[in-house]
Amino acid sequence: MKHSIDSLKELGRYDDAVSMAQDLLRRDPENASLLHKIASLYDVQGLELQAIPFYHAAIDHHLAGKELQEAYLGLGSTYRALGQYKESLETFDRALACFPQAKEITLFRAMTLYNLGETKEAVAALLILLADTSSHQDISLYQKAIRQYAADLDAIG
């Protein structure tokens, strides 16, 4: 049975998937989707340092749409996992400039803000995210108040 890169990844056969992707990339070195697949394959294996140049190459080779959004998330998360918080924040900021409604990027950006010691901004971002995304009835009732608190967490009365 002939496998695809994605099916090999799903089977946990990461080395085979990387080999297949690398073979295809040799024939089509500008293929942004293949570059992104390789980055993700390295990332899922905990090989963050190997993933970074492939994420950058995928983004630089005009990856688009959902794949670009995923590549930004992967790159920003990878930087965060390596303790490179400044690079992580810059990546998430670039991502949100392209995809302002990407709630998952907002979430990971808030974690990076926490790592940078920007706890007030991180909590405010998480409160807005909660107000925007929660379907819990009791939380929905307090959306306006949550947003007001997020705007100034230190306000009294």
Side-chain angles (χ1 to χ4, degrees), residues 86-100:
K86 182 177 176 275
E87 292 85 351
S88 176
L89 185 61
E90 289 170 358
T91 301
F92 290 139
D93 286 345
R94 279 196 318 272
L96 287 170
C98 295
F99 304 100

Side-chain angles (χ1 to χ4, degrees), residues 35-54:
L35 291 162
H36 177 236
K37 282 185 191 293
I38 294 169
S40 315
L41 286 163
Y42 282 136
D43 211 354
V44 76
Q45 296 178 81
L47 302 171
E48 289 91 356
L49 289 174
Q50 288 95 317
I52 289 172
F54 286 96

Side-chain angles (χ1 to χ4, degrees), residues 5-136:
I5 296 167
D6 292 332
S7 68
L8 289 169
K9 182 179 178 182
E10 287 175 26
L11 292 169
R13 294 175 50 191
Y14 303 121
D15 290 339
D16 293 336
V18 169
S19 290
M20 179 182 280
Q22 293 277 19
D23 287 344
L24 293 169
L25 191 62
R26 278 189 272 286
R27 290 181 233 148
D28 188 6
E30 306 273 318
N31 188 316
S33 288
L34 276 175
L35 291 162
H36 177 236
K37 282 185 191 293
I38 294 169
S40 315
L41 286 163
Y42 282 136
D43 211 354
V44 76
Q45 296 178 81
L47 302 171
E48 289 91 356
L49 289 174
Q50 288 95 317
I52 289 172
F54 286 96
Y55 279 128
H56 279 290
I59 292 166
D60 292 346
H61 284 87
H62 309 292
L63 198 63
K66 186 72 173 164
E67 274 191 299
L68 178 59
Q69 186 174 329
E70 291 170 359
Y72 275 129
L73 180 63
L75 180 59
S77 297
T78 296
Y79 279 136
R80 184 180 168 276
L82 293 171
Q84 296 178 9
Y85 305 127
K86 182 177 176 275
E87 292 85 351
S88 176
L89 185 61
E90 289 170 358
T91 301
F92 290 139
D93 286 345
R94 279 196 318 272
L96 287 170
C98 295
F99 304 100
Q101 300 305 316
K103 302 303 184 198
E104 71 283 5
I105 293 172
T106 300
L107 172 65
F108 280 85
R109 183 181 183 276
M111 290 188 282
T112 299
L113 287 170
Y114 169 82
N115 294 126
L116 287 166
E118 300 290 338
T119 52
K120 185 176 177 182
E121 189 178 344
V123 170
L126 291 173
L127 285 172
I128 295 294
L129 184 62
L130 180 65
D132 285 349
T133 61
S134 180
S135 60
H136 189 279

